[in-house]
Amino acid sequence: MRNLLDMRFLLFTGKGGVGKTTLAAATAVAFARQGKRVLVMELNVRDRLGALFGTEPVGREIVSIAPNIWAVNTTPRDAMREYAMMVLPLRSLYRPVFENRMVEKFLRVIPGLPELVMLGKAYWHEKERDDTGRHVWDAVIIDAPATGHGFFLLQIPQVITRALGSGRMAEEAGRMLELLIDPKRTMINLVTLPEEMPVNETLELARRLREEFDIAPGVIFANGVFPRPMTVEEQRHLDSLTTIRPPAEDDLGVLLDVARFRLERCALQQRYLERLQREHEAPVLSIPFYFQPALDRTAIEKIATHITQGVERLRRES
Amino acid sequence: MSGGRTESASRTLRDLVHEASVLVSVGSGGVGKTTTAALLGLEAALAGRRVLVMTVDPARRLANSLGLDEMKDEVQQIDLAHLDPAPGGELHATMLDMKEAFDAIVTRHAKDEATRDAILGNRFYRFFSTSLAGAQELSASERLYEVVASGEWDLVVLDTPPTANALDFLEAPLRFFDALDSAAFQWAIQAGQLAARGGVGLLHFGTHLVTRTLGRFTGEEFFAELSSFLGHFSSLFDGFRERTRATSELLTSPTTRFVIVTSPDPLTVEEALYFRERLAEHRVHLAAVVVNRVRPFLQRNALVRDEPTALVDALHAIEGAAMIGRPLLERLARAIVRNAREIDVLAARDRGVVADLVERTAPAPVCTAPLYAHDVHTLDGLDRMRKDLFDADPTPATPKAARG
């Protein structure tokens, strides 16, 4: 069984709104607690990491957002410049070539190029070494786009490699592909909610990963799982009371409704958790729902503990 | 927040659903755009209009709740006969297949069969026609124009593609054309041919430097092949351009209304507000903001506020409860109160978020739908949700949800 916290290159994808950034952030905290240096990358989005960690919004420069954790919200333009600087024989060529109005427009419409260069930047950071030859980052975590676009991001290196065969970009894409499918370094993790639509999308994505890349998803994070509000015995008595008492809008009726609402939501979530576990072999890690107005640093720390313990449990079970 | 204002707010959305000829549902991923589009369509059909809902989401549950086995490309009529009251209008649904829609665009605008086949058969096109920046949105707006122009429908409801940024729908087609303005385009095509030949030829030295460097960057083969693809593609442009202008007029017409859909999550709401600003910049008309999954608010409930003994007494008074025994009822009461307080933390937040939204989006109405205990699987379920959306106070004090 592969261990999430032994990986060097981690991607988080899943349906929109399921908590990809939350899980990417909490995983970063779990790494950082082991004394590892982590880089979390957002790909050209409205920043959410700053709000989660209580720092200034994360922008185009790599900034420290917590002990051992750095973050960047990269853009295709910046990634392109960094990539070009590495590839070009003379750095002085960059401005006349890449800041040429025609070229800028042209590069913007090359299908997949923005995704390729952003992925290329992540790939480059995974390899990056300091003067003493040590890795600069122990782990690079990518908060990837939602399912459809996220899968497109993964496909890009493969498509470029197949379509081109030769040339500098094809070689780079080939190396990125090697990293993406390397089970020793890379884990593609899927985040979902235990609800119908997100679970369907997750299962579909897991199937495509297997069929198109021959890789298994890393960890499936089932986020926002409601803790049971009462014991089974208490629930049985509640059921009998609500059966006897006709529905009413009075204070008691409302409270009973809310209790039943929670229990029914829990039961619904359990059904989808079971379906996730039944329908594919990747380990499923349940992340509890936190009853607080907004997720903050404290919640992220709690989720990180949950991840560390969950990973340890998965290791023992295997 | 006054009840009067919220009432007039939901009447306004209802009015717009009854009057508009196009409704576009936009928002971040996972907020219920598709379901909202279906609800808007259902409301209009019940008011006697002939409605088409166009979705991009193949979700089986939505299909099932409309009484369909699956969403298909072809238009399917939804059977509303058993709803009470039986509708005077009609509801139809179709799913937009992006790949096919884009192929259709190419076919329509290609000047001859050879050009069409050259494009459809190109390996870049085959892979990228659904991913090319703006291609999805272009397909969706083209198809929208087509169905509206057909004159068959009183109302067309469009559920937009699931993009990270709801504005892509408006901006991507424009970006697509801006990026491919003819000068840059012609340059790229020539530069590509030049790179393929490896000569300086027609272009001056500066351009030669640029193409050599780009060739090094992308690989010369790639650059040449891409240019050839773009060369064929450019012949479609006059047709594209004209149609995009027409589509843009349709989207900014006063009878086209946008509905921003959001969840009560504060970060998602911030995105919704950002969308609202940008929509205004595009001069499109906002119909309403719909907040899905709002949790019921209980704070005024005396049994939560007071000592749990009051709740134990109330439970004890239920017929037959005496058999359960007071110690167990006490434990149950504690669990019920704890649960209510936990849910209320979220409800209070939702309520604050909605109140803030009402203030910041005025005069556009804010309408809410509660979080349900169950997924909506049937047309009746969808219809209950419709009533909640169109009739409910935006910040419900009682959990309709539990009986939904």
Side-chain angles (χ1 to χ4, degrees):
Chain A
M1 173 76 68
R2 298 191 293 149
N3 184 338
L4 179 83
L5 299 175
D6 287 342
M7 296 292 131
R8 291 189 45 76
F9 199 67
L10 301 98
L11 292 101
F12 289 81
T13 184
K15 190 170 163 61
V18 296
K20 290 181 290 294
T21 309
T22 306
L23 269 304
T27 303
V29 172
F31 269 105
R33 285 184 191 161
Q34 300 183 334
K36 292 181 170 173
R37 284 169 59 95
V38 200
L39 176 65
V40 189
M41 292 180 67
E42 293 178 303
L43 306 184
N44 199 24
V45 290
R46 272 171 72 82
D47 169 62
R48 290 191 162 191
L49 287 171
L52 283 178
F53 283 89
T55 65
E56 294 289 301
V58 174
R60 299 154 56 183
E61 303 292 330
I62 295 179
V63 289
S64 168
I65 54 171
N68 284 338
I69 305 176
W70 281 259
V72 64
N73 184 3
T74 197
T75 66
R77 201 188 157 116
D78 292 334
M80 186 101 69
R81 187 178 56 238
E82 287 176 34
Y83 177 62
M85 290 296 191
M86 284 188 289
V87 175
L88 294 177
L90 291 172
R91 293 192 163 205
S92 57
L93 283 177
Y94 181 79
R95 280 184 67 91
V97 173
F98 284 84
E99 289 178 8
N100 175 310
R101 195 177 64 89
M102 299 289 191
V103 175
E104 274 200 340
K105 288 194 164 189
F106 178 64
L107 290 178
R108 260 195 286 163
V109 288
I110 296 184
L113 189 61
E115 288 82 2
L116 183 77
V117 292
M118 290 196 293
L119 195 60
K121 179 176 162 68
Y123 162 79
W124 184 78
H125 285 307
E126 193 273 335
K127 285 196 313 184
E128 191 180 5
R129 286 170 192 271
D130 64 17
D131 295 339
T132 66
R134 277 207 307 264
H135 280 296
V136 172
W137 307 107
D138 294 311
V140 175
I141 295 178
I142 302 172
D143 179 12
T147 317
H149 196 194
F151 199 78
F152 179 67
L153 181 80
L154 297 174
Q155 283 176 310
I156 287 289
Q158 198 173 40
V159 169
I160 303 261
T161 317
R162 282 186 190 157
L164 293 184
S166 66
R168 178 84 195 223
M169 205 155 103
E171 287 166 23
E172 291 285 334
R175 282 193 285 268
M176 281 181 222
L177 182 59
E178 260 172 46
L179 173 62
L180 278 181
I181 63 174
D182 180 357
K184 288 197 198 62
R185 287 182 292 169
T186 303
M187 239 190 206
I188 297 166
N189 304 293
L190 311 182
V191 185
T192 189
L193 295 173
E195 292 171 20
E196 183 182 25
M197 309 281 213
V199 165
N200 286 347
E201 262 193 48
T202 303
L203 292 172
E204 170 71 7
L205 193 58
R207 185 186 62 75
R208 291 187 69 188
L209 280 176
R210 247 185 229 102
E211 285 175 8
E212 294 178 35
F213 291 93
D214 196 24
I215 53 177
V219 174
I220 307 221
F221 291 95
N223 193 23
V225 178
F226 276 175
R228 279 190 60 87
M230 59 184 69
T231 64
V232 175
E233 191 196 15
E234 284 158 8
Q235 182 178 351
R236 212 180 50 242
H237 293 301
L238 179 79
D239 287 345
S240 67
L241 292 178
T242 49
T243 319
I244 299 165
R245 191 175 197 269
E249 298 276 341
D250 61 6
D251 283 351
L252 180 59
V254 166
L255 278 191
L256 293 177
D257 273 352
V258 172
R260 297 206 44 108
F261 168 77
R262 166 83 168 267
L263 287 164
E264 278 164 26
R265 213 61 230 171
C266 283
L268 178 99
Q269 290 191 334
Q270 281 311 313
R271 279 201 299 281
Y272 288 111
L273 279 176
E274 280 159 26
R275 179 158 175 237
L276 272 178
Q277 267 147 352
R278 196 171 56 238
E279 291 190 23
H280 66 77
E281 344 40 298
V284 178
L285 217 58
S286 296
I287 304 296
F289 188 90
Y290 289 96
F291 291 92
Q292 56 185 66
L295 285 183
D296 55 9
R297 178 77 177 270
T298 319
I300 297 294
E301 298 276 351
K302 284 189 219 159
I303 296 173
T305 305
H306 212 87
I307 291 174
T308 309
Q309 290 167 351
V311 164
E312 179 57 26
R313 196 180 58 248
L314 290 172
R315 195 186 58 78
R316 279 201 312 271
E317 281 169 8
S318 66
Chain B
M1 182 180 347
S2 77
R5 175 173 182 178
T6 56
E7 241 172 58
S8 77
S10 47
R11 248 206 321 276
T12 309
L13 176 62
R14 181 166 266 151
D15 289 346
L16 288 166
V17 166
H18 296 177
E19 290 156 13
S21 59
V22 177
L23 286 169
V24 185
S25 151
V26 298
S28 317
V31 295
K33 272 196 295 289
T34 308
T35 306
T36 303
L39 295 176
L40 298 172
L42 183 59
E43 169 67 25
L46 292 177
R49 310 189 78 196
R50 194 174 140 78
V51 185
L52 176 67
V53 176
M54 284 169 62
T55 176
V56 289
D57 192 337
R60 179 166 294 275
R61 183 167 61 79
L62 180 71
N64 290 348
S65 62
L66 289 170
L68 304 171
D69 290 335
E70 58 175 334
M71 284 288 185
K72 286 187 192 157
D73 250 8
E74 65 255 40
V75 173
Q76 303 180 84
Q77 183 166 1
I78 313 301
D79 180 9
L80 303 176
H82 74 282
L83 286 185
D84 181 34
E90 288 175 17
L91 182 61
H92 300 250
T94 179
M95 192 183 81
L96 188 59
D97 179 322
M98 293 293 178
K99 174 87 179 101
E100 263 178 38
F102 209 77
D103 286 357
I105 295 177
V106 170
T107 304
R108 183 177 329 111
H109 296 300
K111 65 177 188 295
D112 52 37
E113 282 184 15
T115 308
R116 183 198 64 199
D117 294 345
I119 294 169
L120 294 183
N122 185 288
R123 61 185 179 186
F124 282 99
Y125 176 79
R126 282 207 306 272
F127 184 75
F128 290 116
S129 60
T130 53
S131 327
L132 194 68
Q136 288 207 345
E137 291 77 10
L138 194 70
S139 311
S141 54
E142 277 253 347
R143 185 93 174 88
L144 175 69
Y145 179 84
E146 223 175 82
V147 295
V148 172
S150 78
E152 270 186 68
W153 311 101
D154 298 331
L155 170 68
V156 179
V157 185
L158 177 68
D159 167 35
T160 57
T163 45
N165 184 346
L167 293 161
D168 277 356
F169 179 70
L170 281 168
E171 291 173 354
L174 300 173
R175 234 182 3 243
F176 188 79
F177 288 104
D178 175 53
L180 295 176
D181 83 20
S182 60
F185 213 70
Q186 289 312 316
W187 173 85
I189 294 161
Q190 285 181 26
Q193 288 162 351
L194 186 72
R197 284 203 306 270
V200 179
L202 298 163
L203 299 170
H204 69 70
F205 180 73
T207 305
H208 180 57
L209 173 73
V210 169
T211 50
R212 274 237 329 250
T213 311
L214 273 183
R216 190 191 287 271
F217 183 64
T218 59
E220 278 168 16
E221 196 190 328
F222 177 89
F223 192 54
E225 170 124 10
L226 184 69
S227 301
S228 127
F229 165 60
L230 294 179
H232 283 297
F233 212 65
S234 68
S235 67
L236 308 180
F237 268 50
D238 289 341
F240 269 21
R241 223 178 268 284
E242 193 184 309
R243 181 56 75 81
T244 306
R245 232 190 332 268
T247 309
S248 164
E249 266 168 36
L250 171 66
L251 290 176
T252 51
S253 132
T255 59
T256 297
R257 295 278 170 165
F258 280 63
V259 176
I260 297 178
V261 187
T262 180
S263 74
D265 174 78
L267 292 175
T268 313
V269 166
E270 280 309 313
E271 276 170 12
L273 286 165
Y274 171 73
F275 293 158
R276 174 182 147 72
E277 263 171 46
R278 302 301 304 281
L279 288 175
E281 282 169 27
H282 283 282
R283 291 175 299 131
V284 302
H285 303 274
L286 185 65
V289 178
V290 169
V291 192
N292 279 318
R293 311 180 135 220
V294 175
R295 282 155 292 214
F297 187 65
L298 307 168
Q299 219 162 59
R300 284 182 296 242
N301 195 306
L303 294 173
V304 179
R305 234 177 22 223
D306 299 349
E307 288 301 305
T309 35
L311 178 57
V312 178
D313 291 342
L315 289 174
H316 202 263
I318 298 174
E319 195 191 324
M323 284 170 61
I324 296 172
R326 194 137 183 128
L328 229 158
L329 284 180
E330 277 169 14
R331 268 167 49 206
L332 184 57
R334 273 197 299 276
I336 289 173
V337 168
R338 191 174 52 239
N339 173 61
R341 289 197 172 130
E342 283 177 344
I343 300 282
D344 227 22
V345 170
L346 309 175
R349 187 203 70 182
D350 292 359
R351 197 176 157 90
V353 164
V354 172
D356 186 40
L357 203 53
V358 167
E359 200 146 293
R360 288 167 76 183
T361 57
V366 174
C367 303
T368 62
L371 176 67
Y372 297 92
H374 306 280
D375 289 336
V376 175
H377 278 282
T378 61
L379 190 59
D380 287 331
L382 206 62
D383 193 42
R384 260 200 305 279
M385 203 172 162
R386 176 193 65 83
K387 288 178 187 137
D388 284 339
L389 178 67
F390 284 91
D391 299 335
D393 181 313
T395 48
T398 53
K400 269 183 187 286
R403 286 189 298 276

